[in-house]
């Protein structure tokens, strides 16, 4: 009777295959690149399109104060719905939390193109009453020209 001896030690591959890990990381990178711009604008509004739009990079900062007015007249501060009565106090609180002496005391307004003009003006009035130094109206660039 012959005993067969297996030589497993010679067949062990000590190399790590990193290709699947790289594939997974690239997929995750693409997913985060697509989703990250969507996180800034928590409230979906159809902004008016203008030809002379100015790019406001500060509106995308994490600590930027953004007020949105939807087409059905709801007002949002960041991603939270607020009433017109509470808007002034909440914006004033957010401005007071900016402790830096050189802190930008501006607010960015995103109003839907189909929203009621009177509601937008009431929102602007409520924001101005909070002591805002600059109110910026956000628009989209008109790309058809």
């Amino acid at each position: 009777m012959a005993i067969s001896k297996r030589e497993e030690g010679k067949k062990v591959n000590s190399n790590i295959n990193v290709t699947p890990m790289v594939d997974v990381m690239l997929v995750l990178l693409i997913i985060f690149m697509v989703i990250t711009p969507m996180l800034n604008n928590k409230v979906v509004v159809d902004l008016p399109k203008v030809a002379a739009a100015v790019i406001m990079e500060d509106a995308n900062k994490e600590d930027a104060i953004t007020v949105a007015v939807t087409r059905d007249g709801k007002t949002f501060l960041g991603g939270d719905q607020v009433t017109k009565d509470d808007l002034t106090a909440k914006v004033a609180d957010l401005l007071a939390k900016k402790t830096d002496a050189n802190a930008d005391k501006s607010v960015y307004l995103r109003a839907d193109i189909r929203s009621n003009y009177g509601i937008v003006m009431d929102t602007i009035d409520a924001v101005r009453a909070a002591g805002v130094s600059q109110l910026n109206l956000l628009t989209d660039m008109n790309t058809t020209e």
Side-chain angles (χ1 to χ4, degrees):
M1 234 178 13
I3 297 176
S4 65
K5 184 178 174 188
R6 292 177 41 183
E7 297 183 15
E8 291 182 17
K10 293 181 181 178
K11 295 182 182 179
V12 173
N13 186 1
S14 64
N15 294 335
I16 298 174
N17 190 0
V18 295
T19 304
M21 182 183 69
V22 171
D23 291 343
V24 170
M25 296 307 287
L26 286 175
V27 168
L28 288 174
L29 177 68
I30 291 170
I31 289 171
F32 286 126
M33 287 173 56
V34 169
I35 290 178
T36 301
M38 294 179 204
L39 296 177
N40 291 339
N41 303 327
K42 297 174 181 135
V43 181
V44 178
V45 292
D46 187 18
L47 295 175
K49 297 190 183 326
V50 296
V54 177
I55 296 173
M56 296 183 190
E57 292 295 330
D58 293 341
N60 294 329
K61 288 185 178 176
E62 188 174 325
D63 64 340
I65 302 171
T66 305
V67 177
V69 178
T70 60
R71 76 173 93 167
D72 55 354
K74 295 178 182 171
T75 305
F76 292 85
L77 179 60
D80 303 324
Q81 185 174 355
V82 294
T83 63
K84 301 272 188 308
D85 300 330
D86 295 338
L87 183 61
T88 301
K90 289 187 177 184
V91 169
D93 288 343
L94 289 175
L95 288 174
K97 288 180 183 176
K98 292 189 174 188
T99 57
D100 187 13
N102 297 331
D104 187 20
K105 303 249 183 207
S106 62
V107 174
Y108 299 92
L109 179 67
R110 302 173 64 239
D112 195 287
I113 193 169
R114 292 164 288 201
S115 60
N116 185 318
Y117 184 74
I119 294 173
V120 173
M121 292 310 298
D122 290 341
T123 304
I124 290 173
D125 188 42
V127 169
R128 282 284 195 199
V132 172
S133 63
Q134 185 172 359
L135 179 64
N136 302 294
L137 303 176
L138 299 179
T139 59
D140 276 339
M141 180 71 83
N142 190 358
T143 57
T144 58
E145 294 179 4

